[in-house]
Amino acid sequence: MVMGMVREAKVYTMDDLMRLPAVSRMHFIECGANTGMEWGNVAVPTVQYTHGMLACSEWTGVPLSTLLDEVGIDRAKAKFVLAEGADGASLTRTIPLAMALDDVMVCYGQNGEMLRPEQGYPLRLLVPGVQGVSSVKWLRRIEVGDQPWNTREESLHYVDLMPGGIHRQYTWIQEAKSVITSPSGGQTLLDRGYYEITGLAWSGRGKVKRVDVSTDGGRNWRTAKLQEPVMSKALTRFRIDWSWDGGPALLQSRVMDDTGFVQPTYRQLRAVRGTRSIYHNNAIQTWKVEPSGEVSNVQVL
Ligand SMILES: Nc1nc2c(c(=O)[nH]1)N[C@H]1C(S)=C(S)[C@@H](COP(=O)(O)O)O[C@H]1N2
Ligand SMILES: [Mo]
């Protein structure tokens, strides 16, 4: 891997990198386009399709700040970092320096083993809390600069089409979001009576603080149990007891993170973002339960 620096370039071999002090941390990666089909209306049937571009792993590697310290960046000029992959697309993404110096990692390990080829072997950047595209696989070059690079994946793609036709660029963070995974679209409740409603919540800004669950489309809410340990920028499992009376129900979850941010309804999200985006849809998901027990994807404003 080459670090193209403000002063001079330095080449790190894998052996060099693996001699440096390492850290291991749990973090999610969510594609910015996760739930992107649903901006206008219901489009897909199951949670795998609506929220499946998401995973959480234990990542092992070297903090990027260690490498930036070692090569010695010019703190007066340096404002952004560029990461480039060695794939055919040469995926290149800009990261603000403050983020790079905070919790960004240069990873060689995932879940206690070396990265798998599909996940970027031998080296990948991990930018916790930020849309997946910034976690550049097959990392081969890092550069430091004073402006964003405006690469293809930052100008043609991964821009948010706002009401009025404006394109919003450089929206890195994956804001707080949650989804009920069971019962969810495509499943069938076999009989009335006890069910555990369970799902996942996460925030690109920190820890999940609270998850509320509604079974009547957002009129009444109860607070769910969070499975410990709750970690920053990691998936958090929530659970709550429910007795199904056999009638129609609208299941929803709503997360609040430790910044106080509350997951928006579709009405709230669309008021700001319109309906023509692809990226960063973190609206409250609704699953409708029919008296037949069938569960389907619906949108409640
Ligand atoms: N070099 C490179 N890195 C890449 C990509 C790519 O096409 N090339 N895809 C990105 C995108 S869009 C996402 S969402 C994440 C997915 O990471 P995962 O496969 O570990 O879930 O990898 C990112 N890293
Ligand atoms: Mo992605």
Side-chain angles (χ1 to χ4, degrees):
M1 187 187 73
V2 183
M3 298 207 45
M5 281 298 134
V6 175
R7 289 180 188 149
E8 65 183 281
K10 173 166 170 129
V11 176
Y12 283 91
T13 64
M14 283 305 296
D15 286 342
D16 295 336
L17 288 170
M18 293 181 72
R19 283 181 64 183
L20 293 171
V23 292
S24 288
R25 288 201 309 257
M26 301 285 290
H27 287 301
F28 73 82
I29 293 185
E30 182 184 20
C31 178
N34 201 22
T35 325
M37 307 277 283
E38 302 259 320
W39 270 103
N41 214 328
V42 165
V44 289
T46 70
V47 71
Q48 184 62 45
Y49 287 107
T50 58
H51 290 76
M53 292 194 278
L54 170 74
C56 190
S57 298
E58 184 197 66
W59 301 97
T60 300
V62 181
L64 180 55
S65 60
T66 303
L67 304 183
L68 296 174
D69 279 349
E70 232 187 27
V71 294
I73 58 169
D74 182 339
R75 297 262 176 144
K77 283 199 238 158
K79 293 279 177 292
F80 295 94
V81 171
L82 182 80
E84 180 188 78
D87 51 338
S90 301
L91 178 72
T92 35
R93 288 287 308 186
T94 301
I95 301 144
L97 185 70
M99 219 176 248
L101 293 174
D102 179 17
D103 56 2
V104 175
M105 297 165 67
V106 172
C107 293
Y108 44 77
Q110 183 178 4
N111 294 335
E113 55 182 55
M114 291 303 285
L115 280 177
R116 295 184 180 192
E118 302 88 335
Q119 264 62 50
Y121 179 91
L123 202 61
R124 126 179 247 180
L125 200 69
L126 181 80
V127 188
V130 166
Q131 56 182 341
V133 69
S134 295
S135 290
V136 174
K137 301 173 182 180
W138 313 290
L139 183 64
R140 74 168 167 206
R141 191 164 68 95
I142 288 176
E143 218 178 292
V144 175
D146 58 1
Q147 285 177 43
W149 276 262
N150 202 31
T151 69
R152 184 186 60 171
E153 304 304 326
E154 303 172 340
S155 47
L156 272 179
H157 305 294
Y158 297 94
V159 290
D160 300 325
L161 185 53
M162 303 293 281
I166 303 267
H167 272 125
R168 194 171 64 169
Q169 252 182 317
Y170 296 117
T171 45
W172 285 283
I173 307 280
Q174 295 297 105
E175 301 283 359
K177 184 165 170 181
S178 71
V179 65
I180 293 171
T181 52
S182 181
S184 63
Q187 299 179 359
T188 305
L189 305 188
L190 296 180
D191 202 355
R192 61 186 64 195
Y194 178 79
Y195 287 90
E196 179 172 74
I197 296 175
T198 181
L200 296 166
W202 61 100
S203 168
R205 294 199 187 272
K207 287 185 185 175
V208 167
K209 189 166 182 199
R210 200 174 94 194
V211 178
D212 293 333
V213 170
S214 174
T215 57
D216 59 6
R219 270 194 285 271
N220 297 286
W221 297 91
R222 291 184 297 142
T223 300
K225 282 175 291 188
L226 301 183
Q227 183 171 297
E228 298 287 340
V230 177
M231 289 172 287
S232 183
K233 306 178 188 179
L235 297 188
T236 300
R237 171 70 57 189
F238 65 86
R239 304 171 189 281
I240 193 166
D241 298 330
W242 181 47
S243 180
W244 182 46
D245 63 8
L250 293 168
L251 310 183
Q252 297 184 325
S253 63
R254 181 182 66 190
V255 61
M256 192 210 291
D257 70 14
D258 61 2
T259 70
F261 178 98
V262 177
Q263 186 178 6
T265 62
Y266 265 105
R267 188 191 302 283
Q268 290 166 334
L269 188 65
R270 286 178 181 145
V272 179
R273 299 280 313 280
T275 57
R276 302 200 46 217
S277 272
I278 299 171
Y279 307 101
H280 308 295
N281 176 353
N282 67 330
I284 291 172
Q285 169 70 39
T286 309
W287 304 115
K288 182 177 188 188
V289 181
E290 308 283 355
S292 67
E294 282 169 73
V295 188
S296 63
N297 180 11
V298 296
Q299 289 191 358
V300 169
L301 298 181

